[in-house]
Amino acid sequence: MVSRVIPVDDFDLVIFGATGDLAHRKILPGLFRRFVAGQIPQTSQIIGAARTDQDDQAFRDQAGKAISEFAGVKKNDPRLAQFLELLGYTPIDAKGEGGWKELKSRMRDGAVHAFYFSVAPSLFGDIAERLAGHGIADEDSRIVVEKPFGRDLESARALNATLAQHFQEQQIYRIDHYLGKETVQNLMAVRFANILFEPLWNAQYVDHIQITVAETVGVAGRGSYYDKSGAIRDMVQNHMMQLLCLIAMEPPYHFDPDAVRDEKLKVIRALEPVAPNDIVRGQYQPDGDEPGYIEDCENPDSRTESYVAMKVRISNWRWQGTPIYLRTGKKLRARTSEIAITFKEPPHSIFDDTGAPKANELVIRLQPNEGMNLKVMIKEPGPGGMRLVQVPLDMSFADALGAEGQDMPDAYERLIMDVIRGNQTLFMRGDEVEAAWAWTDPIINAWEDSKQAPEPYDAGSSGPDEALRLMHRDNRRWREIRS
Ligand code: NAP
């Protein structure tokens, strides 16, 4: 398969927070890879901005180190030197007035202007105001904002209102990097570019759906930050909600940003409130010398969940009666993210008991090894009568796409290029984010009002026993967590 890289228009991208972790680990390495792929015009500019007082060359050295570490490229690779020539730096304190004039003088007429807010959300308002006030951003500029987008409905509304003072919705790109993953976009291709699945994609044929995002790491090192958030705010309200929307939404009339986001919004609005007995929260326990959640977050009274499992219902014609089970947690058995759609069993078996057909299952793997796996029944080969066996039709994208598949762009690469192209399809709209908080807030508030303690679970396990019971109660079982 031949790779098709379509270069984007010439651009000036300003990264606020260019000296920070996200810029070093994701944004700059991602831009470098797109440059190597030939997607970024040689004339483009990438301008770092943060408080650190340094010049262009010092920033290039810093960026070069980060890129060689996180993009796995040798420091003396000539392509790295070429890329670093696109970089510049302007010291700016988002809360001060210095540096903005210099920044303005660097921006070129005729280039796409994008501003990446890779800083704490408390600075979004300051930056937006000054970009507008100094005449650096105009009605064609784009801004990119990072998660977390608020910590509840009220703060998300306030953040939207702040940005809306200076930018139109069509200019605001709210990043959820899950939407940039190849498999997540493939979910839409599989659903809406094939006739095969869509007729079965409803409560009549789907028994249930499981969405799992499991991590092996704990919260050590960022425990005090995480303790104010927890798994629901950190994972469910954004990433898992986006996956759920793409699975459950109706076909949009066109693959167009607002058409797709309108359909996602309808799903969020159709979510039923989650009953207290349909949700389980957990905290990982100490494991030998390894600290537990309480030690990692340094808060002995913490009731914040490092694990959550819940049963979600969508109240609409398509999904009435098909539960969706979500689970996510830290320090679990393996690092994996997947969506599993379990279809109903055939209504009648013509085979004897030993060969009864099992339910088909479609598993969409986000990590590791992005790909899909469809479990189907076949006859066990060889003589000896009609024995049925379930086999996977496995499609790893890396294998299926050959060399191109080995080099699939990271989510950030794809999303940043979409910003330059001006395509908002894979970004969250303001009303979507607010609707997601409107559904999540009562779940969080009910927990805060309760006196319940989180369920303990062992590090390296599949989560608390109570979460198993959530499934067993419905005569179902979680898929095994494995990488
Ligand atoms: P970080 O490592 O703490 O970096 C923060 C950046 O902001 C630094 O470059 C810092 O540089 C700059 N900064 C701080 N105060 C400033 C000010 N007053 N004016 C101008 N610049 C200022 O944070 P991060 O991990 O890169 O995260 C950045 C944003 O992305 C946050 O909103 C975070 O929630 C989000 N995010 C991060 C990740 C991740 O993997 N890191 C993932 C998802 C979302 P100076 O000190 O030089 O000013």
Side-chain angles (χ1 to χ4, degrees):
M1 214 169 285
V2 182
S3 173
R4 278 200 303 147
V5 173
I6 302 168
V8 294
D9 290 340
D10 190 18
F11 65 84
D12 290 345
L13 170 68
V14 179
I15 307 172
F16 291 98
T19 56
D21 178 68
L22 185 68
H24 284 179
R25 279 193 312 110
K26 292 288 180 187
I27 304 172
L28 291 166
L31 286 163
F32 169 70
R33 283 197 216 96
R34 289 297 92 208
F35 177 76
V36 170
Q39 203 165 8
I40 296 185
Q42 305 269 351
T43 44
S44 292
Q45 293 192 91
I46 297 162
I47 304 162
R51 289 168 308 180
T52 303
D53 194 13
Q54 60 183 353
D55 60 13
D56 289 348
Q57 191 51 50
F59 178 59
R60 287 178 185 155
D61 293 345
Q62 189 186 73
K65 266 190 213 143
I67 294 167
S68 62
E69 182 178 353
F70 295 110
V73 59
K74 292 209 171 77
K75 282 197 182 113
N76 57 2
D77 188 319
R79 296 170 304 175
L80 180 55
Q82 279 169 13
F83 173 74
L84 294 177
E85 280 174 26
L86 310 189
L87 269 55
Y89 184 86
T90 304
I92 287 185
D93 182 341
K95 291 183 170 299
E97 296 309 325
W100 299 97
K101 262 194 199 148
E102 290 73 12
L103 181 61
K104 187 175 180 183
S105 69
R106 284 178 180 255
M107 309 296 291
R108 295 166 305 149
D109 289 342
V112 171
H113 290 176
F115 302 91
Y116 200 128
F117 293 12
S118 180
V119 293
S122 56
L123 296 175
F124 290 179
D126 293 301
I127 297 176
E129 192 182 316
R130 285 170 176 79
L131 282 176
H134 288 270
I136 303 169
D138 59 22
E139 65 278 4
D140 294 324
S141 306
R142 290 140 209 188
I143 61 168
V144 186
V145 294
E146 268 296 339
K147 88 165 204 186
F149 201 86
R151 54 173 284 108
D152 53 20
L153 177 58
E154 195 187 338
S155 53
R157 272 191 183 141
L159 214 45
N160 275 335
T162 304
L163 296 179
Q165 282 174 18
H166 308 289
F167 297 94
Q168 305 286 326
E169 183 61 37
Q170 305 86 274
Q171 299 179 273
I172 305 172
Y173 291 72
R174 295 175 192 78
I175 282 221
D176 185 319
H177 71 275
Y178 267 55
L179 288 179
K181 286 181 185 281
E182 189 74 13
T183 332
V184 174
Q185 294 167 69
N186 241 313
L187 190 54
M188 285 188 275
V190 164
R191 282 193 63 193
F192 304 131
N194 295 286
I195 192 85
L196 211 57
F197 296 108
E198 204 47 28
L200 306 179
W201 210 263
N202 55 52
Q204 195 181 344
Y205 294 106
V206 176
D207 178 74
H208 74 282
I209 296 170
Q210 296 186 25
I211 305 178
T212 301
V213 178
E215 295 179 282
T216 49
V217 294
V219 301
R222 60 182 206 115
S224 58
Y225 162 79
Y226 187 90
D227 202 43
K228 293 187 200 80
S229 167
I232 297 180
R233 284 194 175 98
D234 195 44
M235 278 290 174
V236 177
Q237 186 273 343
N238 39 54
H239 307 316
M240 297 182 91
M241 178 71 78
Q242 291 298 320
L243 300 181
L244 182 121
C245 285
L246 296 180
I247 293 168
M249 72 183 187
E250 295 300 318
Y253 74 91
H254 190 247
F255 192 57
D256 154 280
D258 277 327
V260 171
R261 296 183 303 174
D262 285 347
E263 296 305 336
K264 283 162 59 193
L265 181 62
K266 286 183 205 161
V267 174
I268 304 175
R269 291 195 172 145
L271 291 175
E272 290 183 17
V274 176
N277 63 347
D278 281 343
I279 179 163
V280 175
R281 293 166 173 83
Q283 279 181 346
Y284 59 83
Q285 300 300 295
D287 179 22
D289 292 341
E290 292 276 310
Y293 178 79
I294 289 292
E295 293 76 25
D296 275 345
C297 75
E298 299 176 9
N299 175 8
D301 301 322
S302 173
R303 290 170 65 237
T304 302
E305 73 284 355
S306 61
Y307 174 100
V308 67
M310 61 172 89
K311 178 176 171 181
V312 175
R313 294 183 183 85
I314 302 173
S315 215
N316 64 16
W317 275 48
R318 187 187 279 261
W319 293 115
Q320 196 64 52
T322 294
I324 302 184
Y325 299 91
L326 310 181
R327 82 184 145 157
T328 180
K330 305 275 181 195
K331 284 243 176 164
L332 294 176
R333 176 170 298 151
R335 177 170 179 260
T336 181
S337 300
E338 63 166 40
I339 300 162
I341 292 137
T342 303
F343 292 88
K344 291 189 173 165
E345 287 178 5
H348 165 73
S349 173
I350 61 167
F351 304 102
D352 65 24
D353 284 351
T354 53
K358 290 185 188 150
N360 298 116
E361 202 173 42
L362 176 68
V363 180
I364 298 147
R365 284 189 311 271
L366 276 63
Q367 64 186 24
N369 312 326
E370 287 197 58
M372 292 194 193
N373 179 316
L374 176 65
K375 286 194 188 150
V376 293
M377 299 301 295
I378 60 161
K379 175 191 169 295
E380 201 176 293
M386 187 64 163
R387 292 188 310 272
L388 297 181
V389 59
Q390 195 173 48
V391 293
L393 292 180
D394 205 348
M395 189 177 96
S396 152
F397 295 148
D399 295 344
L401 301 177
E404 194 185 332
Q406 305 292 340
D407 198 23
M408 279 193 297
D410 169 78
Y412 275 92
E413 292 175 45
R414 177 179 307 267
L415 293 173
I416 297 170
M417 291 300 99
D418 278 358
V419 173
I420 306 300
R421 273 192 287 258
N423 186 336
Q424 289 186 304
T425 311
L426 299 175
F427 296 84
M428 295 178 296
R429 210 168 53 192
D431 52 1
E432 249 185 280
V433 177
E434 290 185 14
W437 280 121
W439 177 74
T440 320
D441 270 5
I443 303 174
I444 295 171
N445 295 342
W447 174 251
E448 283 172 1
D449 292 345
S450 81
K451 297 276 173 287
Q452 234 178 306
E455 303 289 332
Y457 64 95
D458 291 339
S461 72
S462 302
D465 291 345
E466 271 306 308
L468 301 181
R469 283 196 273 279
L470 183 75
M471 275 292 201
H472 294 170
R473 201 179 67 179
D474 294 349
N475 282 326
R476 299 190 175 102
R477 47 196 314 146
W478 291 109
R479 284 173 48 80
E480 206 180 309
I481 294 183
R482 60 166 180 228
S483 50

